[in-house]
Amino acid sequence: MATTGTRLRRLAGIATAAAAAAACTSLTPSVASSDRGGGPALDAVRRRIVDPSAAVPPPRAVQESALVGASSANPLDILVIGGGATGCGVALDATTRGLRVGLVEREDFSSGTSSRSTKLIHGGVRYLEKAVFNLDYGQLRLVFHALEERKQIIDNAPHLCHALPCMTPCFNWFEVVYYWMGLKLYDLVAGARLLHLSRYYSAQESAELFPTLARKGKDRVLKGTVVYYDGQMNDSRLNVGLACTAALAGAAVLNYAEVVSFLKDEVGDRIIGARIRDNLSGQEFDTYAKVVVNAAGPFCDSVRKMAKVDAQPMICPSSGVHIVLPDYYSPEGMGLIVPKTKDGRVVFMLPWLGRTVAGTTDSNTPITMLPEPHEDEIQFILDAICDYLNVKVRRTDVLSAWSGIRPLAVDPSAKNTESISRDHVVCEDYPGLVTITGGKWTTYRSMAEDAVNAAIRSGKLKPANECITISLRLVGGEGWDPAFFTVLAQQYVRMKRTYGGKVVPGVMDTAVAKHLSRAYGTFAERVAAIAQDEGLGKRLAHGYPFLEAEVAYCARYEYCESAVDFIARRSRLAFLDTDAAGRALPQVIEILATEHQWDKSRKKQELEKAKAFLETFKSSRNAQFHDGKHK
């Protein structure tokens, strides 16, 4: 615990830094203010993405044929390994520069870290604290970078991202002044990239805004709260949107396609492609490329070791656990930040898709395909939020709990590894193989830009234009506005099939219309049309707005190849409520079976795989625990 003198000196440091930050802000151009016209290249890409007559996007078979057709005489410019946020970002960036691009992902898009985030688009407020206390201009530059990218993500995917106020409780007047000054500095640094101004609320006002916030406890009394704004997203749908946008822009993206080995030139000192296995059919084929970009997240070391067995590891994996609680734990439209926990981390409690998501932990972990949260990590999060709420925090309220692996990066060319970077690292430690790893969701776009720049240098590629992704809206985002759901509510009905097989009309209610609008943007009309015209308008699970029509749409137009793809990543039902996801499984599988012509054996296999997947989400219904203090 810092002394009062130390605290006062820190406050003085914050005040001094405010003037410096103001000067820096005035000298730093805001990309957000750039012309969204973007020139002929951007206009051409936009037309392809919003073309109502286009396939949305090209079918999987077409994408695989494009990869098979990349020969040694006519190679791709870039082959991307990994279908997370960074990999799909690389594919989108490269193809919109006029390069010939392919992407392969051994599981599904966003099946790893990118679907298991805190759902926040961070502006780097903690970097700012480090910049002030350590007088570190490098950290201040990270803040500028994060703020810039946060604004661009929200602008480019407005249907999937939005600003979210976050409340920091203060239990003495020093904390009030400390957090207020720090967040006002944050506002100042944000400048034109500011979402909304931070402000102080009294204890009474705070209780009205956040009814479950405790005003007394453990010999302390709430003095007030300071509220600031960050961004929030639907992470895996954003990732799938990136993949589909890249496909519409011209990239050949293929999920369930695994790199089993690299192809090298005759001299043997440069990678010129990869041997790929289609994990759905079991068939293998070769794809040639001038440069391969390794964006495999936590698994990037295993990819590097395929090229060089003794490659020095550059990933230090960290586990981040989150839990989902009922909506009454937090009000709609207001998050809570617990700034001090036992391990020094910040814990968030945020409204998300009609429920409350809380997290996160930070602990060492092995790298696995399906990481599972430990019970002590779940209890840690419950303990962290318990002291700040006036509602009884119960382990039995946990609807879902999951673990994600953060690929914290070490530059293999660095002379020492004393500090593990939370920024990204781009390197080419084997000719023809560019690796991009580390970083965070917020900066995926600029990470992709750096990786493509490195690939261009490595392969001496000749792009048609510079990077244009800073001004490119993702599929469903162009022309969308928050009132778009009213079009769905007024112009469509939900035709529902009864148990007897009769099709009856139902209302396109506000909850469903808002969900479709937020999940699919302007393409929500295509989902609504399926619900209306094909009798797939019934909800998949009681209490949730997900429709049968979404399963069909995602199978046709979003490369949804399995039941897990839908319940976990195209919809978020597994993350919101594992029990509800389990109840929805039979109908999800029946619709997918119709779309993909599955037989009985495949349907049984899908059910078993999905149930095993849901067992890794430690909700109160499938976890073994002793409730202890959380009753």
Side-chain angles (χ1 to χ4, degrees), residues 289-508:
K290 296 173 184 176
V291 184
V292 176
V293 173
N294 172 16
F299 300 95
C300 79
D301 280 340
S302 62
V303 173
R304 292 168 63 240
K305 287 178 180 179
M306 278 196 284
K308 186 179 180 183
V309 177
D310 60 348
Q312 180 182 342
M314 60 185 299
I315 292 296
C316 181
S318 170
S319 169
V321 171
H322 298 82
I323 65 175
V324 168
L325 299 163
D327 55 352
Y328 57 73
Y329 274 84
S330 64
E332 183 178 358
M334 180 65 75
L336 180 72
I337 296 176
V338 178
K340 298 174 184 177
T341 62
K342 290 181 290 187
D343 70 348
R345 285 190 61 78
V346 172
V347 169
F348 298 92
M349 195 173 75
L350 313 167
W352 184 64
L353 301 183
R355 295 293 180 262
T356 299
V357 60
T360 176
T361 61
D362 188 12
S363 55
N364 295 331
T365 184
I367 297 176
T368 61
M369 290 295 295
L370 282 177
E372 298 185 30
H374 296 296
E375 185 59 32
D376 58 349
E377 294 174 308
I378 296 172
Q379 296 290 348
F380 170 86
I381 296 170
L382 293 172
D383 285 340
I385 65 174
C386 186
D387 296 336
Y388 291 83
L389 300 177
N390 58 25
V391 63
K392 189 177 291 185
V393 178
R394 306 182 302 181
R395 177 60 176 86
T396 51
D397 283 339
V398 176
L399 301 172
S400 181
W402 70 88
S403 174
I405 301 175
R406 300 184 188 92
L408 305 182
V410 177
D411 190 339
S413 62
K415 294 182 179 179
N416 63 68
T417 58
E418 289 179 1
S419 62
I420 296 170
S421 176
R422 288 187 181 265
D423 200 4
H424 65 276
V425 173
V426 181
C427 68
E428 184 180 10
D429 51 356
Y430 195 94
L433 180 65
V434 172
T435 294
I436 170 78
T437 192
K440 56 183 181 176
W441 239 116
T442 305
T443 57
Y444 86 87
R445 193 210 61 82
S446 63
M447 291 169 63
E449 183 177 354
D450 289 348
V452 175
N453 289 341
I456 289 171
R457 291 192 298 270
S458 173
K460 297 180 173 59
L461 307 179
K462 297 180 180 179
N465 50 267
E466 295 295 316
C467 174
I468 61 173
T469 55
I470 200 160
S471 300
L472 179 64
R473 284 212 168 109
L474 301 188
V475 61
E478 196 70 54
W480 182 88
D481 69 67
F484 181 74
F485 75 93
T486 59
V487 174
L488 304 177
Q490 292 181 344
Q491 297 184 12
Y492 293 89
V493 296
R494 295 192 289 126
M495 301 302 293
K496 300 181 286 187
R497 203 172 297 274
T498 66
Y499 290 111
K502 185 179 179 181
V503 177
V504 297
V507 175
M508 183 67 73

Side-chain angles (χ1 to χ4, degrees), residues 65-87:
S65 295
L67 292 173
V68 172
S71 64
S72 57
N74 184 28
L76 300 170
D77 289 312
I78 296 175
L79 173 65
V80 185
I81 302 174
T86 305

Side-chain angles (χ1 to χ4, degrees), residues 13-30:
I14 290 177
T16 303
C24 291
T25 304
S26 65
L27 296 173
T28 305
S30 173

